[in-house]
Amino acid sequence: MIPLTYYLVISAILFALGVLGVLIRRNPLIIFMSVELMLNAANLAFVAFSRAFNVLNGQIFVFFVMTVAAAEVAVGLALIVVIFRTKHSIDVDQMNSLKG
Amino acid sequence: MLLSETTSSLFFGFVPWIVFFPAIGLLINLIFGGWMKEKAIGWLASAASGLAFVVSVLLGYSLLKQPEGMVVPFADWITIGPSTGSGLALHIPWQFRVDTLSVTMMLVVSGVGTLIHIYAIGYMHEDVRFKDDLKRYRRFFVFFNLFIVMMMILVSGDSYLMLFVGWEGVGLCSFLLIGFWYEMDTLGRPSWANSDAAKKAFVTNRIGDFGFLIAAFLMFWGFGSLKFEDVFSQAPALAQAAPGLIIAITLFMLLGVTGKSAQLPLYVWLPDAMVGPTPVSALIHAATMVTAGVYLIARSAALYVTVPTAQFIVAIVGAATALFAATIAVGQYDIKKVLAYSTISQLGFMVAAVGMGAFVAGMFHLVTHAFFKALLFLSAGSVILGLERGHHHLAYRQNSAEAAPTPPKDKHASPSYYSEEVFDPGDMRNMGGLRKTMPVTFWLYVIGMLALAGIFPFAGFWSKDEILLDAAKNYTVVYVLLSIATFFTAFYMGRQIWMVFFGKPRHAAAEHAEESPKIITVPLMVLAGLSILGGALNLPYVHTFGLWLEHTIEAAAEHGGEVSGWLAISWGGLNPWVALLSTVLALAAIYFSWLIYGRRPLEAGQKDPLKKPLGFLFTGMERKWFVDEIYWAAFVDRYVDLARFLANVIDGRFWHDWFHDRLLAGTYNWLSHIALDKVIDTRGIDAFFNGLGELTKRASASLRRLQNGFVRSYALAVLFGVVVILGYLIWK
């Protein structure tokens, strides 16, 4: 049986990749993907713990996370479309009109 | 209550009514006078004064029975300190002193006063007729009654302080009545001349009153009391211990006397006081108020007899005044001014008499003088009225069918009405020949003149002769001065008679003069009778008046040193030589006056016949020896200079400009502007709060840079925050 540590390391690596993607990339689509990556890294951790401790709670929580992620993507994509329509660009660095 | 103190059947308990009757009279006139008729106002005031006279007569009757008199307590006035035992205490009750001296004064004041009140009903009627102002008429009688009240307080007071209350009160009435026609001058033109005369009288009297007050203070210091009996009983002892103090008291008192009784050097107000209505001149400035000084010295006889030095000074002041004023009277043209200087001169006789210790002679002359000088003044008023009537008659003769125009209500609106032509009805140069048009007044005037000149057997002869005899016995210099004054007295009175009543009228108004009505002449006849018979009060051999006063003034009996030679001859107290000399002098003077003024009467516009032979001497008499000018230059101008200096320099530049503006306001300004505003407020409080705002601004300016709008940087911050929180939780 593959020890829990391995799953958690993978999960951590995936989360770190997601973080880096959010921080570094300027394309909102990529950022969204990175956010999905972080969510799924969390899902992986949930599932790994669920199996290791033999309780179903983590697996059920993963379903919720996936649902929320789907909803989030739907809203986020709609926002990106509207922003593109108004600014003819989807570069996040150009979306700075709220700066102080 | 007023009767409770007297147990006997005598009338001493009535004495407060001598004050309250006139006081009630004045209150009724003051409160209800507006609804009363002219006649009612005048008669009410006369009745008030007359009732006071009745009370005085009752008091006199009581004194015949009980000559030592009585002190009637009435009310407590001032009570300071313990009333009994040792320690300085001031306890002054309002007590009425009824003795022969005070009752003599009461009889004169209320008796002559009542006659003058009645006269004034007629005299002031002219004022109402020409000026149509009944309020003024009422005011006159209110003041007149107030004067009687004050004069009664003066003569009935039992202490120097009560006397002083009356002393000031009569001064006030004098001021009010001199300035009775305050908005015009003697000719009726709008001017402040009359009110200036009133102020002059008041201010001059104030100088005298200062002397009186100092005397009273010294007296309290020396005797510890202001009551007559306390002061007089201690006087001989204190005169031994501290004669200087008594001299100071008596001389300061003399200063008060020179003010009130118009003696040198403070007499200057009395001639100017003649601008008041003639009854005022007669009552206040001839018969009663001005004699208050003589009364004061007679009352203080016990003090004066202890210090011969002061007595001599008083006598000299009186004698010098008598002569000085008599010379001025020779050069005057105003009928009342002549009488005013004559009054000063006669007051000089009285002051000289009481100064020499001849208290009976002085008081005797006071009484007779009150009769004949009141008579003369009122007759002069009658002459003035006659001339005014003549003048008025002339002014509207042309259209006699038309009645005289009604006077305008507002007298300031048309001054021309009152000065249709500038005409002085008091100027003797406008008179002449009035013997025919005003026969009653003429005879009354002659009686007054003979009494004043001291012709046998009129009242003035007896009283003046007593004074002259006492002077001859005591101080030769006083006797000489007074004898010359006697000559001048007869001369100026003769001059006046010739100028006013003889010759031809020098003005159309004198030609049409009319005799005065009965209301004016009847009181004059009573006074004339008193002027003729007044001497009977103190005839030689009988000495009624001397015996009467002896009960009060013990010193009166024993005065007069040892004399020998012709002075020792005595016909019952009358020295034939002194009497003969004064009569001869008076007759000679009247003869001279006839030579100069009677034989060739003055023509209209002619200068005084004495002007040429006497030259500058006459100018001096005419201009009152320039005393007013000298006083003006020496005191009034200097006083004005001082006042101006104090106002401009001390008050203006020092207090106002420097102290208030520069020091107080400047310091305050500097403090508020510089110290508080610029330093503490601006640099302190303002700076603190401004700095706080600035700090917030700067902090926010630098903090806003964090809000750069880059989503990724926000994300980084969130990450960083999470890392920090997690790190904290892990390594806690």
Side-chain angles (χ1 to χ4, degrees), chain B residues 66-90:
Chain B
Q66 192 182 320
E68 62 272 21
M70 195 171 201
V71 172
V72 181
F74 180 67
D76 262 350
W77 182 28
I78 296 176
T79 310
I80 297 168
S83 54
T84 52
S86 62
L88 205 57
L90 183 64

Short mmCIF file of all heavy atoms in Angstrom, two decimals, chain B residues 66-90:
data_model
loop_
_atom_site.label_atom_id
_atom_site.label_comp_id
_atom_site.label_asym_id
_atom_site.label_seq_id
_atom_site.Cartn_x
_atom_site.Cartn_y
_atom_site.Cartn_z
N GLN B 66 -41.03 130.60 80.52
CA GLN B 66 -39.95 129.68 80.92
C GLN B 66 -38.74 130.04 80.07
O GLN B 66 -38.43 129.38 79.09
CB GLN B 66 -40.38 128.23 80.64
CG GLN B 66 -39.46 127.20 81.26
CD GLN B 66 -39.92 125.81 80.90
OE1 GLN B 66 -41.11 125.51 80.87
NE2 GLN B 66 -38.98 124.93 80.61
N PRO B 67 -38.06 131.13 80.43
CA PRO B 67 -37.09 131.73 79.51
C PRO B 67 -35.87 130.87 79.23
O PRO B 67 -35.18 131.13 78.25
CB PRO B 67 -36.69 133.04 80.22
CG PRO B 67 -37.14 132.91 81.61
CD PRO B 67 -38.20 131.88 81.70
N GLU B 68 -35.60 129.88 80.06
CA GLU B 68 -34.41 129.07 79.76
C GLU B 68 -34.63 128.15 78.56
O GLU B 68 -33.69 127.56 78.05
CB GLU B 68 -33.96 128.27 80.98
CG GLU B 68 -34.96 127.26 81.49
CD GLU B 68 -35.91 127.89 82.48
OE1 GLU B 68 -36.06 129.14 82.49
OE2 GLU B 68 -36.54 127.15 83.24
N GLY B 69 -35.89 128.03 78.13
CA GLY B 69 -36.16 127.25 76.92
C GLY B 69 -36.14 125.77 77.17
O GLY B 69 -36.19 125.29 78.30
N MET B 70 -36.04 125.03 76.09
CA MET B 70 -36.19 123.59 76.18
C MET B 70 -35.58 122.95 74.94
O MET B 70 -35.54 123.55 73.88
CB MET B 70 -37.68 123.26 76.24
CG MET B 70 -37.97 121.86 76.69
SD MET B 70 -39.72 121.71 76.97
CE MET B 70 -39.75 120.30 78.03
N VAL B 71 -35.10 121.73 75.13
CA VAL B 71 -34.65 120.96 73.97
C VAL B 71 -35.68 119.86 73.75
O VAL B 71 -35.95 119.07 74.64
CB VAL B 71 -33.27 120.35 74.21
CG1 VAL B 71 -32.91 119.40 73.08
CG2 VAL B 71 -32.23 121.45 74.30
N VAL B 72 -36.28 119.87 72.59
CA VAL B 72 -37.34 118.91 72.31
C VAL B 72 -36.78 117.83 71.40
O VAL B 72 -36.49 118.08 70.24
CB VAL B 72 -38.53 119.61 71.61
CG1 VAL B 72 -39.63 118.61 71.34
CG2 VAL B 72 -39.02 120.76 72.47
N PRO B 73 -36.61 116.60 71.94
CA PRO B 73 -36.11 115.54 71.07
C PRO B 73 -37.18 115.11 70.09
O PRO B 73 -38.37 115.10 70.42
CB PRO B 73 -35.77 114.41 72.05
CG PRO B 73 -36.49 114.72 73.29
CD PRO B 73 -36.90 116.15 73.29
N PHE B 74 -36.75 114.75 68.91
CA PHE B 74 -37.75 114.35 67.91
C PHE B 74 -37.45 112.97 67.34
O PHE B 74 -38.32 112.11 67.35
CB PHE B 74 -37.79 115.39 66.80
CG PHE B 74 -38.78 115.05 65.74
CD1 PHE B 74 -40.14 115.06 66.03
CD2 PHE B 74 -38.38 114.71 64.46
CE1 PHE B 74 -41.07 114.74 65.06
CE2 PHE B 74 -39.30 114.39 63.50
CZ PHE B 74 -40.66 114.41 63.80
N ALA B 75 -36.22 112.75 66.92
CA ALA B 75 -35.91 111.45 66.33
C ALA B 75 -34.42 111.22 66.45
O ALA B 75 -33.65 112.15 66.61
CB ALA B 75 -36.32 111.42 64.86
N ASP B 76 -34.04 109.93 66.39
CA ASP B 76 -32.62 109.60 66.34
C ASP B 76 -32.16 109.72 64.91
O ASP B 76 -32.83 109.28 63.99
CB ASP B 76 -32.40 108.16 66.81
CG ASP B 76 -31.99 108.14 68.27
OD1 ASP B 76 -31.70 109.23 68.80
OD2 ASP B 76 -31.96 107.06 68.86
N TRP B 77 -31.01 110.30 64.73
CA TRP B 77 -30.52 110.40 63.36
C TRP B 77 -29.30 109.53 63.19
O TRP B 77 -29.32 108.52 62.49
CB TRP B 77 -30.25 111.86 63.00
CG TRP B 77 -29.78 112.02 61.59
CD1 TRP B 77 -30.08 111.20 60.53
CD2 TRP B 77 -28.96 113.04 61.07
NE1 TRP B 77 -29.50 111.66 59.40
CE2 TRP B 77 -28.80 112.79 59.69
CE3 TRP B 77 -28.34 114.16 61.63
CZ2 TRP B 77 -28.04 113.62 58.87
CZ3 TRP B 77 -27.60 114.98 60.81
CH2 TRP B 77 -27.44 114.71 59.44
N ILE B 78 -28.20 109.90 63.86
CA ILE B 78 -26.97 109.14 63.71
C ILE B 78 -26.59 108.59 65.07
O ILE B 78 -26.52 109.35 66.04
CB ILE B 78 -25.83 110.03 63.18
CG1 ILE B 78 -26.16 110.53 61.77
CG2 ILE B 78 -24.52 109.26 63.17
CD1 ILE B 78 -25.13 111.48 61.23
N THR B 79 -26.37 107.30 65.16
CA THR B 79 -25.90 106.70 66.41
C THR B 79 -24.76 105.76 66.07
O THR B 79 -24.96 104.71 65.50
CB THR B 79 -27.02 105.93 67.11
OG1 THR B 79 -28.16 106.78 67.17
CG2 THR B 79 -26.61 105.53 68.49
N ILE B 80 -23.55 106.19 66.40
CA ILE B 80 -22.37 105.38 66.14
C ILE B 80 -21.62 105.24 67.45
O ILE B 80 -21.42 106.23 68.17
CB ILE B 80 -21.47 106.02 65.08
CG1 ILE B 80 -22.20 106.12 63.74
CG2 ILE B 80 -20.19 105.20 64.89
CD1 ILE B 80 -21.50 106.97 62.73
N GLY B 81 -21.19 104.04 67.77
CA GLY B 81 -20.42 103.84 68.99
C GLY B 81 -21.32 103.72 70.21
O GLY B 81 -22.54 103.84 70.11
N PRO B 82 -20.73 103.48 71.37
CA PRO B 82 -21.52 103.29 72.59
C PRO B 82 -22.23 104.58 72.96
O PRO B 82 -21.66 105.67 72.88
CB PRO B 82 -20.47 102.91 73.63
CG PRO B 82 -19.20 103.46 73.11
CD PRO B 82 -19.28 103.40 71.63
N SER B 83 -23.48 104.44 73.35
CA SER B 83 -24.25 105.65 73.66
C SER B 83 -23.90 106.16 75.06
O SER B 83 -24.12 107.31 75.35
CB SER B 83 -25.74 105.36 73.55
OG SER B 83 -26.06 104.25 74.37
N THR B 84 -23.39 105.28 75.91
CA THR B 84 -22.98 105.75 77.24
C THR B 84 -21.56 105.29 77.50
O THR B 84 -21.01 104.48 76.77
CB THR B 84 -23.90 105.16 78.32
OG1 THR B 84 -23.94 103.76 78.15
CG2 THR B 84 -25.29 105.74 78.25
N GLY B 85 -20.98 105.80 78.56
CA GLY B 85 -19.64 105.38 78.96
C GLY B 85 -18.58 106.04 78.12
O GLY B 85 -18.82 107.00 77.39
N SER B 86 -17.36 105.49 78.22
CA SER B 86 -16.24 106.11 77.56
C SER B 86 -16.18 105.67 76.10
O SER B 86 -16.98 104.89 75.63
CB SER B 86 -14.95 105.70 78.28
OG SER B 86 -14.81 104.31 78.19
N GLY B 87 -15.19 106.18 75.42
CA GLY B 87 -15.04 105.83 74.01
C GLY B 87 -15.66 106.89 73.13
O GLY B 87 -16.65 107.51 73.47
N LEU B 88 -15.04 107.07 71.97
CA LEU B 88 -15.52 108.09 71.05
C LEU B 88 -16.83 107.61 70.43
O LEU B 88 -16.91 106.49 69.91
CB LEU B 88 -14.47 108.31 69.96
CG LEU B 88 -14.50 109.68 69.29
CD1 LEU B 88 -14.37 110.77 70.34
CD2 LEU B 88 -13.37 109.76 68.29
N ALA B 89 -17.83 108.43 70.53
CA ALA B 89 -19.12 108.05 69.97
C ALA B 89 -19.72 109.25 69.27
O ALA B 89 -19.50 110.38 69.66
CB ALA B 89 -20.05 107.57 71.07
N LEU B 90 -20.43 108.95 68.20
CA LEU B 90 -21.14 110.02 67.50
C LEU B 90 -22.62 109.74 67.65
O LEU B 90 -23.14 108.76 67.11
CB LEU B 90 -20.73 110.03 66.02
CG LEU B 90 -21.33 111.14 65.18
CD1 LEU B 90 -20.85 112.50 65.67
CD2 LEU B 90 -20.94 110.97 63.73
#
